[in-house]
Amino acid sequence: MKMLINVPETVVADALRGMAAAHPELTVDVERRIVVRRDAPVADKVGLVSGGGSGHEPLHGGFVGPGMLDAACPGEIFTSPVPDQMARAAAAVDSGRGVLFVVKNYTGDVLNFDMAAELAEDEGVQVARVLVDDDVAVTDSTHTAGRRGTGATLFVEKLAGAAAEEGAPLERVAAVARQVGESSRSFGVALSACSTPAVGGPTFDLPPGELELGVGIHGEPGRERRGMMTSGEIADFAVDAVLTDLRPGGPVLALVNGMGGTPLVELYGFAAEVHRVLAERGVAVARTLVGNYVTSLDMAGCSVTLCRADEDLLRLWDAPVRTPALRWGM
Amino acid sequence: MKMLINVPETVVADALRGMAAAHPELTVDVERRIVVRRDAPVADKVGLVSGGGSGHEPLHGGFVGPGMLDAACPGEIFTSPVPDQMARAAAAVDSGRGVLFVVKNYTGDVLNFDMAAELAEDEGVQVARVLVDDDVAVTDSTHTAGRRGTGATLFVEKLAGAAAEEGAPLERVAAVARQVGESSRSFGVALSACSTPAVGGPTFDLPPGELELGVGIHGEPGRERRGMMTSGEIADFAVDAVLTDLRPGGPVLALVNGMGGTPLVELYGFAAEVHRVLAERGVAVARTLVGNYVTSLDMAGCSVTLCRADEDLLRLWDAPVRTPALRWGM
C-alpha cells in the first residue's frame, strides 16, 4: 500500500508541521501535539477543546478557530491522545469562564478526557464534558461501551462553538452541546477498508462485491455485510437506520459525509439520494453539508448524520465560523 | 471496483441533483448541466464561466459563487462539455459587461469553448478567453497540444473572480486571469490510478511500489515512473520541477492539492515538506491552501501549484469568496 508519507512513525508530527505552515492563524505545538487558535485564550469566552485519534481529518484540528473549537489534541492514528495534552490545551484556552471537553464515545478517549478534567480542575480550570454517541449502527462495539461517536461531533463542535463565541456561560454551552448530541444520529457504510501507516495495508478484509453496513470510523464492524448496493439503496438503508432512532418533528441539519476515499462527485450523487429518501419520509432538510469531514483515512464509503434543529440551533449553525475546514461569514 | 453510484450513465446528473439539494444559493440546471450563482446576472459585473470534464470536483461547480465563478459547465466524466452549455451559461451570467471563459488547455475544451464564444457573440455577448496551461510535466500530451491545465485553474478562477466582483471591466479581468496563468506552474504525482464509472476499474496500470511523476489529472502519463519515494523526496522532485520553469522574485501562493484518494493527514504532511523545500530554495510562501481541489476521482497522489503573487494578487486572494468549496470573508 503506497502512502504519501515519510515514515509511519512521523505521520502525525509531519501533518502538524504542515498545519503550522499552512495556517498561521493557528498555534501548533508539534511536540506536545496541541492545535490552538492563535488568539486564545479569548477574553470572557468559554473554551472548547476536543481531540481523539488522528486519521479522521479534518476532525478535530481542522475545526479549530473562531466560532468552533479553541483547541484540538490529536493522538496517534486511531489512538486516543493522552490526558496531559488535553489538560495543557484546557489551560491554554481558559479565560476564567471554564472549558468544555467534547469527547467522542470511545473507551480510551473517555478515560483520558476524564483524567484530563481532573488535572485541569486541579489547576483551577472549571471543566464540563459532553459525550458524543450518535452512531446507531451498534450498541457497544469493539472500541466502546455504548454507541460510537462519529459525524455528530461536527454538529456539536459547530453549534456549541457558536454559543461560546456569542459569550454564553459554560452551563449554557454544555447544554447546547448535550442538546445537539441527543438530537443527532449517524449511520456509516464502508465500500473498502482503510489502511493505516503502521499496518501498511488494509486493516480489515472486505471482499470485492461486498460492503459493510454500519461501519465505524476506524473500520470497526457494523451490522452486516451485503452484496454491493446502489447509491439509492444505500441511502434508503442509512437514512432509515437513522430515522428509526431519531424522530424529527421538524427540519434537520444533514451531514452527507465521505469516509475519505470516495470522490466528491459520488458524494454529491449520494446527497441527492439522501434528500430523496428524506422527502419520501416527510422530513424537511434545513441545511446540508456534503464533503469529507469525519473520515477514516483512505476508506471508501460514506455516512449520514441528521440533527433535529430548532430555530436556535439553525441560528447557531448559520453563525460565522473560520477554521481550516469550515468557514463562512467571517 | 465498488463505487457509490446508481449506474455509470447517471453519475454526473446525480451529482448535479445533489448540488441542487445541498446548495440553494446556486441554480442548477440538471438537464442542461449548468451551475449558476442564483443572483446571476449580477448587475454591472463581468461574468466568469468555466467548465470541463467531470471527475475533478470540486472544480468547477464547487467554485461557483460570489467572488469566483458565475457559472460552470460540467461534461461527462473526463469529457469536455459541449458548446451549447457554455453559450447558455454565458447568456445566463452576462450583465452587458461581457463574459470571461476560463479554459483548461485540453483539445476538446479548447475547441468547444471557441465554438461557444462564437455562439455567444452571435447572441450579442462580448466574450474573452483565457487558456490555463500550467502543468510543467510534459509539453504536448495525450490530450493536449502544449502544456496541460491543472491546479492553476483554481488561482485563475479565484483571482479573476475577485477582480470581477470588484467591478473591473472585461479587459482588466482577462488581464488578471492571464497574469495568474503566466505566473503559475504545477506538477503532479500519482500513487495509484483512478477508476472511472464507465470503465469500472483503474484506467491505467501503476504497479505496486511505483509512482508516476508528472501525472495528468486524467491519469495521463507523466515524465517517468520510479520506485516509491518518501513524501519529502516527492516534494523535492515536484517543487524543483515547478521552480525550473517558474522563477519567483517574491512570495508565492501555494496550492498543495490532493488528487482525491489521499487522506488529508498525508496531504498536510506533504505540505510541510513542500514548505521545507521552498524555504531551502529561498522562496517565501505568502498563502497556502491544502486539500482536494483539483482532483482525479479516487486517484491517490498530489500536486503542487505555485503562483508568483504581487501585492495586487495577494489582495485579490484575500478578497471575500462564497462558494461550496472555497469560502471566506462573507
Side-chain angles (χ1 to χ4, degrees):
Chain A
M1 187 70 201
K2 289 170 282 189
M3 295 179 182
L4 184 64
I5 64 174
N6 288 315
V7 293
E9 293 72 22
T10 65
V11 166
V12 174
D14 289 348
L16 290 174
R17 286 194 298 124
M19 287 203 76
H23 301 294
E25 72 277 17
L26 303 176
T27 300
V28 181
D29 187 330
V30 176
E31 194 182 340
R32 289 172 172 156
R33 304 201 173 182
I34 307 173
V35 179
V36 185
R37 59 184 274 190
R38 184 166 288 280
D39 57 355
V42 180
D44 279 332
K45 196 187 88 66
V46 166
L48 253 76
V49 173
S50 192
S54 294
H56 308 298
E57 289 69 24
L59 183 82
H60 298 269
F63 299 148
V64 175
M68 213 161 166
L69 293 178
D70 291 83
C73 307
E76 281 299 309
I77 299 285
F78 293 173
T79 303
S80 174
V82 295
D84 190 49
Q85 274 170 278
M86 304 147 181
R88 280 181 192 274
V93 306
D94 182 37
S95 70
R97 296 194 71 196
V99 171
L100 177 69
F101 283 168
V102 179
V103 187
K104 300 197 301 302
N105 187 33
Y106 298 98
T107 306
D109 290 325
V110 172
L111 285 173
N112 288 328
F113 269 104
D114 277 350
M115 288 178 62
E118 287 180 29
L119 291 172
E121 281 165 352
D122 287 347
E123 300 292 319
V125 179
Q126 189 188 357
V127 175
R129 195 196 69 163
V130 62
L131 201 63
V132 184
D133 63 345
D134 53 309
D135 184 349
V136 300
V138 293
T139 47
D140 301 339
S141 76
T142 41
H143 296 309
T144 58
R147 293 188 308 237
R148 301 174 297 215
T150 59
T153 317
L154 182 151
F155 289 143
V156 171
E157 294 177 0
K158 171 68 180 81
L159 298 167
E165 202 73 34
E166 287 182 349
L170 181 57
E171 60 197 39
R172 156 85 178 142
V173 175
V176 169
R178 282 193 196 99
Q179 180 193 350
V180 174
E182 287 161 8
S183 304
S184 301
R185 295 290 185 274
S186 299
F187 191 86
V189 177
L191 276 62
S192 76
C194 52
S195 295
T196 60
V199 172
T203 56
F204 63 102
D205 183 51
L206 188 54
E210 287 188 23
L211 45 70
E212 177 86 36
L213 293 166
V215 74
I217 57 172
H218 313 88
E220 308 96 305
R223 284 192 190 172
E224 58 176 301
R225 288 185 175 187
R226 286 202 187 172
M228 193 53 200
M229 297 158 68
T230 66
S231 171
E233 290 165 345
I234 293 171
D236 281 317
F237 195 100
V239 171
D240 282 339
V242 168
L243 291 180
T244 298
D245 212 277
L246 182 84
R247 302 192 180 280
V252 295
L253 302 173
L255 169 62
V256 178
N257 178 61
M259 292 295 194
T262 288
L264 197 55
V265 71
E266 297 181 22
L267 282 182
Y268 270 105
F270 182 62
E273 297 297 336
V274 168
H275 269 254
R276 173 191 56 75
V277 182
L278 288 169
E280 288 170 6
R281 304 294 180 268
V283 178
V285 185
R287 304 286 186 277
T288 307
L289 187 65
V290 182
N292 291 288
Y293 291 104
V294 180
T295 64
S296 188
L297 292 168
D298 61 339
M299 186 189 286
C302 56
S303 64
V304 177
T305 303
L306 302 180
C307 173
R308 278 193 307 260
D310 58 22
E311 283 302 311
D312 191 42
L313 293 189
L314 283 181
R315 187 181 56 75
L316 293 172
W317 178 256
D318 292 335
V321 60
R322 190 171 72 235
T323 72
L326 276 193
R327 295 172 71 145
W328 55 76
M330 66 165 81
Chain B
M1 186 70 201
K2 289 169 279 188
M3 295 177 182
L4 184 64
I5 65 175
N6 289 315
V7 291
E9 293 73 20
T10 64
V11 166
V12 174
D14 289 347
L16 289 174
R17 286 194 296 124
M19 285 203 78
H23 301 294
E25 72 279 15
L26 302 177
T27 300
V28 181
D29 186 330
V30 176
E31 196 182 336
R32 290 173 172 157
R33 303 201 174 181
I34 307 173
V35 180
V36 185
R37 58 184 274 190
R38 185 166 287 280
D39 57 354
V42 180
D44 279 333
K45 196 186 89 67
V46 167
L48 254 75
V49 173
S50 192
S54 294
H56 308 299
E57 288 70 23
L59 184 80
H60 298 269
F63 298 148
V64 175
M68 214 161 167
L69 295 178
D70 291 83
C73 306
E76 282 298 310
I77 299 284
F78 293 174
T79 302
S80 175
V82 295
D84 190 50
Q85 273 171 279
M86 303 147 182
R88 280 181 194 273
V93 307
D94 182 36
S95 70
R97 296 194 71 196
V99 171
L100 178 69
F101 283 169
V102 179
V103 187
K104 301 199 299 302
N105 187 33
Y106 298 97
T107 306
D109 290 324
V110 172
L111 285 172
N112 288 329
F113 269 105
D114 277 349
M115 289 178 61
E118 286 179 29
L119 292 171
E121 281 167 354
D122 287 347
E123 301 291 319
V125 180
Q126 188 188 358
V127 175
R129 196 197 69 166
V130 62
L131 201 64
V132 184
D133 63 345
D134 53 308
D135 184 349
V136 300
V138 293
T139 48
D140 302 337
S141 77
T142 40
H143 295 309
T144 59
R147 293 187 309 235
R148 301 174 297 216
T150 59
T153 315
L154 183 151
F155 288 144
V156 171
E157 294 176 0
K158 171 67 181 82
L159 298 167
E165 202 74 32
E166 286 183 349
L170 182 56
E171 60 196 39
R172 156 83 178 145
V173 174
V176 168
R178 285 195 192 97
Q179 179 194 350
V180 174
E182 289 163 6
S183 305
S184 300
R185 294 292 184 274
S186 296
F187 192 87
V189 177
L191 274 62
S192 75
C194 53
S195 295
T196 61
V199 173
T203 57
F204 63 101
D205 183 50
L206 188 53
E210 286 188 25
L211 46 71
E212 177 86 37
L213 293 167
V215 74
I217 58 173
H218 312 88
E220 309 97 302
R223 285 193 190 169
E224 58 176 302
R225 289 186 174 186
R226 287 201 188 173
M228 194 52 201
M229 295 157 68
T230 66
S231 171
E233 290 165 344
I234 293 170
D236 280 317
F237 195 98
V239 171
D240 283 339
V242 168
L243 292 181
T244 299
D245 212 277
L246 182 84
R247 302 190 180 281
V252 296
L253 303 173
L255 168 62
V256 178
N257 177 62
M259 292 297 193
T262 288
L264 198 55
V265 70
E266 296 182 21
L267 281 183
Y268 270 105
F270 181 62
E273 297 297 336
V274 168
H275 269 253
R276 173 191 56 76
V277 182
L278 287 168
E280 288 172 6
R281 305 294 182 267
V283 178
V285 185
R287 305 286 185 277
T288 307
L289 187 65
V290 182
N292 291 289
Y293 291 103
V294 181
T295 63
S296 188
L297 293 168
D298 62 339
M299 186 189 285
C302 57
S303 64
V304 177
T305 303
L306 303 180
C307 173
R308 280 194 305 260
D310 58 22
E311 281 303 310
D312 192 43
L313 293 189
L314 283 181
R315 187 181 56 77
L316 293 171
W317 179 257
D318 292 337
V321 62
R322 189 171 73 236
T323 73
L326 277 193
R327 295 172 72 145
W328 54 76
M330 67 164 82

